[in-house]
Amino acid sequence: MSLTAGSRPDGVRAPAAVEEPVAALAPKAVPEKRSGGAKVPFRTRLRRDRALILMTLPAIALLLLFNYVPLLGNVVAFQDYDPYVSSNGVTAIFHSPWVGVEQFSRMLGDPLFWDAAKNTLVLFVLQLVLFFPVPIALALLINSVVRPRVRAVAQAIMYLPHFFSWVLVVTVFQQIFGGAGIIAQTMERHGWGGFDLMTNASFFKFLVTAQSVWKDAGWGVIVFLAALAAVSTDLYEAAAMDGAGRWRRMWHVTLPALRPVIALLLVLRVGDALSVGFEQFLLQRDAVGAGASEVLDTYVWNMGIQNGDFSYAAAVGLVKGAIGICLVLGANRFAHLLGEQGVYKK
């Protein structure tokens, strides 16, 4: 016996609601929005985001005032700038004679500039090799600690020196490694010779690297710990079920999760290669001499502020900034070749 829609074997007709086709009872698919839909008008977006825009206006104003407006002063690099030729320094720019690229030619022929550039590059490479891996290793070590209280205390102790000024950092190292420091006094009590690393010019590059590690390694630890917190525990459990030990899990799970952050911080560090520090080196300049402590930042300060040669100092700073931009672009391009995003996408 054949059954028609809405009938049952006992001959009793089913309710009308049951007679509806199964397809009609299924949920209707929501039509997808087309990617090429109409763009939201600017006035609508402005009205929608006006609160956020008002919140960011003070920050934008400060950024323009202190970061972008001073860039206009780089014009003095192409002049023989004299701040006393007019009533104030700003109008003096319009009365100073133009000399073209004379300041840049002078820079290329200055042996003191090349000595400062050499010290800067040596310190950058040394800090990149010795300082950059330290936060990664410390983050992996703290992340392996099981007790949250111990982990929090260790993280706070490592991050505390980041808030110290360079004056305090140099003072602490002076009290430990100086001629009258703890190590020197201990050696004298036992009849050994003198000990003073703070005035050793040949050891100065390692000393400032150790100071940077002690002061700023904690900040890098926080960054890498934040990246590790985003790693799913399911990956570690799956790797453990496949027989991976502690080192295998770190190599195949932890380090790949840190790779985007490492690439980003490495690009930023390379872009800041010619700015290895100013206050740190200026504070220790008299102890080891200008030959060991002169970097590009202190060289610009010495030529511009100390000697009053503003045009020459501006030329050196302009070249330093241009090289920094090229290093950022090159490092970011290298990060793209490795499959990472870097500072910005392709």
Side-chain angles (χ1 to χ4, degrees):
M1 181 178 62
S2 62
L3 299 177
T4 60
S7 62
R8 297 194 329 199
D10 55 1
V12 180
R13 188 171 182 82
V18 184
E19 297 179 2
E20 297 180 2
V22 177
L25 297 177
K28 296 182 179 180
V30 179
E32 298 181 357
K33 294 183 179 180
R34 294 179 298 175
S35 59
K39 189 177 180 180
V40 180
F42 175 76
R43 297 172 63 90
T44 304
R45 286 182 290 152
L46 184 63
R47 193 183 310 111
R48 179 192 61 192
D49 301 331
R50 62 181 180 272
L52 298 176
I53 295 174
L54 290 175
M55 291 173 61
T56 56
L57 281 180
I60 294 175
L62 291 176
L63 184 66
L64 292 175
L65 182 61
F66 292 102
N67 291 84
Y68 287 94
V69 173
L71 291 177
L72 301 176
N74 286 325
V75 69
V76 302
F78 304 94
Q79 294 179 328
D80 187 9
Y81 177 70
D82 185 5
Y84 305 105
V85 75
S86 181
S87 59
N88 59 72
V90 177
T91 58
I93 297 177
F94 302 98
H95 297 86
S96 298
W98 292 88
V99 295
V101 295
E102 180 179 332
Q103 305 294 348
F104 299 93
S105 301
R106 174 188 168 190
M107 177 188 65
L108 296 177
D110 187 0
L112 296 178
F113 165 77
W114 292 109
D115 291 340
K118 177 183 176 181
N119 288 339
T120 303
L121 292 177
V122 170
L123 286 168
F124 162 70
V125 173
L126 191 63
Q127 291 185 7
L128 187 65
V129 174
L130 299 180
F131 172 54
F132 191 78
V134 171
I136 303 175
L138 291 177
L140 295 176
L141 182 63
I142 293 178
N143 191 62
S144 63
V145 177
V146 178
R147 295 185 177 182
R149 185 180 298 274
V150 177
R151 184 187 309 176
V153 171
Q155 183 177 343
I157 293 175
M158 292 180 184
Y159 189 54
L160 182 62
H162 180 72
F163 298 98
F164 295 165
S165 66
W166 278 115
V167 176
L168 182 57
V169 172
V170 173
T171 302
V172 170
F173 273 74
Q174 178 68 38
Q175 296 299 321
I176 297 176
F177 302 105
I182 299 175
I183 298 179
Q185 292 179 2
T186 304
M187 294 177 66
E188 289 179 359
R189 292 194 195 99
H190 292 79
W192 295 335
F195 178 86
D196 189 3
L197 288 181
M198 301 300 294
T199 58
N200 191 337
S202 60
F203 192 77
F204 179 72
K205 59 178 73 71
F206 300 100
L207 177 66
V208 295
T209 302
Q211 292 171 355
S212 300
V213 170
W214 184 70
K215 184 178 187 298
D216 293 327
W219 179 85
V221 168
I222 290 181
V223 174
F224 289 113
L225 283 178
L228 289 175
V231 182
S232 176
T233 56
D234 296 339
L235 298 176
Y236 292 102
E237 295 175 359
M241 292 180 63
D242 291 338
R246 181 186 297 271
W247 294 104
R248 284 286 184 179
R249 293 196 298 270
M250 184 187 69
W251 183 260
H252 294 287
V253 179
T254 306
L255 290 180
L258 291 178
R259 194 171 68 174
V261 181
I262 294 175
L264 175 60
L265 295 181
L266 188 60
V267 170
L268 296 177
R269 187 70 188 91
V270 170
D272 206 29
L274 302 183
S275 300
V276 292
F278 170 71
E279 186 179 358
Q280 178 187 12
F281 294 89
L282 188 63
L283 290 171
Q284 304 173 86
R285 179 188 178 94
D286 296 336
V288 297
S293 63
E294 189 79 300
V295 293
L296 287 178
D297 287 337
T298 57
Y299 180 73
V300 170
W301 172 83
N302 186 45
M303 299 302 297
I305 305 301
Q306 293 290 97
N307 299 340
D309 198 348
F310 299 102
S311 294
Y312 181 67
V316 177
L318 189 60
V319 170
K320 173 176 168 290
I323 295 177
I325 293 176
C326 295
L327 289 175
V328 168
L329 296 177
N332 198 75
R333 176 63 178 172
F334 183 72
H336 290 167
L337 295 177
L338 295 179
E340 301 298 335
Q341 178 177 339
V343 179
Y344 57 87
K345 295 182 179 180
K346 296 182 180 179

